[in-house]
Amino acid sequence: MHAAVVRTVARSAATLLLLTFPFLSAVQAAPAGESIKLGLNYPATGRYKEEGIAQAQGALMAIEEINAAGGVLGRPLELLTANTASDPAKAVENVKALAKQGAAMLFGGSSSAVAVEAGKEAARHQLLYFGTLTYANETTVADGHRHMFRETYNAHMAAKALGAYLNERLQGKKFFYMTADYNWGWSSETSLRNYTGTTDVNQHPGTLVAYPRPRENDMRNALELAVKAGADVLMLIQFGDDMALALRTIHSMGLQDKLTIVVPNLTLAMAKTAGSGILEGVIGAAPWSWQVPYRYGYEQGKAFVEKFVRLNATYPTSSAASAYSIVYQFKDAAERAGSLDTNRLIKALEGHKYSLLKDEQEWRALDHQNVQSVYVVRSRTREEILQSHLREDFFEILLRLDGKDAVQTPDEWRAERRAVGAPLTLQ
């Protein structure tokens, strides 16, 4: 299928087209010459679609800015998109199609299962794959390879930050784990147990919840087990619409005031899906939120937020920030390398430090994990949210953990690779 090309159109129309058709490209006003194609492999439909739409918005914004400033190596950027519907098999087929259309690199995903499989397929085509929303440790540990770069943090980093906050405040409490039954859920639970001192499954039990597409009855059964266990703290390891469904079920059972609820990964899109009253008081971790640049004084981050709001009439979620950052990181790597050759791009990325929307970040050469600050957040009250601009000031920042303190040590990374029989260097 040939990709349609949209040139010099109003942004709202371009965004609508991108989010409507499964394969589409957009080129904004830029230098003449053959375009450099970037392939966004993202969920435009399905349970994680809000995160996917945010990625498309962030990517478009970066491409428009870069093209207006002269493009990359004197050539315009063009965005190709493909809808994964959060299905790993579909994501793999998309990679094949995007590679055939001439994509110079690929990025996206709102599921670790999607990112892992899409990244492996990208490697077969000798293309970079940047993971946006992929929190499972496996993405850059057990399944890590030299063509995969993870822009966001991982489950280990989120758990370490949450442990630093929870251990001071919830000593002696009984935890219950309600975990999505796939790789992100498993690795999140393992990491959280390790960093909260709740590895004793008899003292701190849990249950797996069907994935994908859990039903309300699945959530209710799991919550009944938590109540029966006498839990004080519910570790709700769910994402996207599944997290919203779980929270609605908690409220329908009248449990919201009986449990401290912790969701390992929170985003604005998830908060909006759940709703202000449902999310109130929930604690979680985030690699970025739009409040971060204002709390810590990051001027480029503020400019990004304000422009995004002008263009989209909504605040950017961490998905949008991730996609925006990836496009700029590709641009900068290509210019440092003076080439679009994948091997040269990899070398240009490895060990590179930069600051864009927050404080300094680094593409660690060891595992291609992005080393960055992690934030622990809590959802504000319904009244506070409804009184805020656009009714989207969901998160209060409780703690910031520096990236070097959050990330796995090289020895820890090698130990996990050794345990699964993976090479001790990326291949």
Side-chain angles (χ1 to χ4, degrees):
M1 179 178 181
H2 295 291
V5 179
V6 181
R7 297 181 187 274
T8 320
V9 294
R11 180 182 172 78
S12 58
T15 302
L16 177 62
L17 287 169
L18 272 168
L19 305 181
T20 302
F21 296 100
F23 285 93
L24 190 66
S25 63
V27 178
Q28 303 299 323
E34 183 182 356
S35 64
I36 298 170
K37 299 177 176 64
L38 309 183
L40 177 61
N41 199 21
Y42 77 120
T45 59
R47 301 185 71 79
Y48 296 165
K49 64 181 179 298
E50 296 302 325
E51 304 293 351
I53 290 168
Q55 290 173 40
Q57 291 171 324
L60 269 175
M61 183 170 158
I63 286 172
E64 290 172 359
E65 292 175 356
I66 290 167
N67 284 349
V72 175
L73 302 176
R75 296 164 60 186
L77 293 179
E78 177 180 349
L79 186 66
L80 306 177
T81 69
N83 178 19
T84 67
S86 295
D87 180 347
K90 175 63 174 169
V92 168
E93 293 306 309
N94 289 348
V95 169
K96 295 175 183 177
L98 291 165
K100 188 174 181 180
Q101 291 179 67
M105 74 85 163
L106 304 168
F107 65 120
S110 291
S111 157
S112 291
V114 163
V116 167
E117 295 308 316
K120 289 177 181 177
E121 185 62 29
R124 296 185 186 103
H125 296 272
Q126 294 298 304
L127 290 172
L128 287 177
Y129 198 98
F130 289 89
T132 50
L133 279 186
T134 170
Y135 298 137
N137 292 330
E138 289 83 349
T139 305
T140 49
V141 186
D143 291 309
H145 52 87
R146 66 189 300 268
H147 290 83
M148 169 63 78
F149 285 78
R150 189 207 310 254
E151 194 281 333
T152 190
Y153 62 20
N154 60 21
H156 173 104
M157 297 168 74
K160 198 164 185 182
L162 283 167
Y165 180 80
L166 297 175
N167 291 342
E168 291 185 6
R169 293 159 178 84
L170 299 176
Q171 285 288 338
K173 300 295 185 180
K174 186 166 188 174
F175 285 52
F176 187 92
Y177 286 81
M178 188 170 153
T179 303
D181 192 10
Y182 77 112
N183 56 359
W184 166 72
W186 309 326
S187 62
S188 293
E189 178 175 339
T190 298
S191 296
L192 284 163
R193 285 186 180 275
N194 288 339
Y195 286 107
T196 57
T198 56
T199 55
D200 185 341
V201 296
N202 293 315
Q203 179 64 27
H204 304 285
T207 190
L208 294 174
V209 176
Y211 177 89
R213 293 178 292 279
R215 299 167 300 173
E216 182 178 350
N217 196 50
D218 297 321
M219 300 297 184
R220 185 173 293 273
N221 290 341
L223 289 164
E224 287 174 352
L225 291 175
V227 172
K228 186 176 180 180
D232 304 301
V233 181
L234 179 66
M235 304 300 279
L236 184 60
I237 307 176
Q238 303 291 326
F239 194 75
D241 287 359
D242 301 339
M243 185 274 293
L245 174 61
L247 289 176
R248 286 194 294 270
T249 308
I250 287 168
H251 276 249
S252 73
M253 295 174 68
L255 300 177
Q256 66 272 20
D257 297 323
K258 299 176 183 178
L259 296 165
T260 298
I261 300 170
V262 179
V263 175
N265 305 109
L266 278 175
T267 71
L268 177 60
M270 289 169 62
K272 289 164 66 177
T273 299
S276 56
I278 297 290
L279 198 69
E280 184 173 320
V282 171
I283 297 168
W288 187 86
S289 70
W290 69 260
Q291 297 90 345
V292 164
Y294 296 94
R295 169 76 176 269
Y296 298 101
Y298 305 134
E299 295 305 318
Q300 285 181 285
K302 292 180 189 177
F304 165 73
V305 170
E306 289 159 15
K307 183 174 180 180
F308 192 96
V309 170
R310 289 198 304 273
L311 294 172
N312 298 292
T314 185
Y315 282 101
T317 184
S318 57
S319 297
S322 180
Y324 178 90
S325 298
I326 285 167
V327 173
Y328 267 100
Q329 282 301 290
F330 171 80
K331 166 191 176 291
D332 292 349
E335 291 175 347
R336 289 194 304 276
S339 171
L340 299 179
D341 177 76
T342 296
N343 289 324
R344 292 187 182 182
L345 290 171
I346 290 171
K347 290 179 181 178
L349 285 163
E350 289 181 332
H352 178 64
K353 297 180 180 180
Y354 65 99
S355 297
L356 185 60
L357 302 183
K358 59 178 187 179
D359 53 341
E360 186 176 82
Q361 298 175 238
E362 177 184 359
W363 296 107
R364 191 162 70 166
L366 172 75
D367 53 1
H368 296 178
Q369 172 61 52
N370 193 294
V371 180
Q372 58 181 288
S373 296
V374 181
Y375 304 91
V376 176
V377 301
R378 179 172 56 210
S379 181
R380 298 182 187 278
T381 67
R382 182 175 184 274
E383 290 72 22
E384 289 175 317
I385 295 165
L386 293 180
Q387 291 172 12
S388 66
H389 182 52
L390 298 179
R391 299 183 175 183
E392 292 184 0
D393 190 2
F394 276 85
F395 301 133
E396 170 191 6
I397 299 171
L398 303 175
L399 177 146
R400 171 190 167 276
L401 185 66
D402 191 271
K404 69 179 184 299
D405 297 320
V407 75
Q408 282 181 305
T409 67
D411 285 346
E412 289 171 333
W413 183 83
R414 293 188 188 100
E416 287 200 30
R417 294 277 287 188
R418 193 177 290 113
V420 297
L424 300 186
T425 57
L426 296 179
Q427 304 294 313

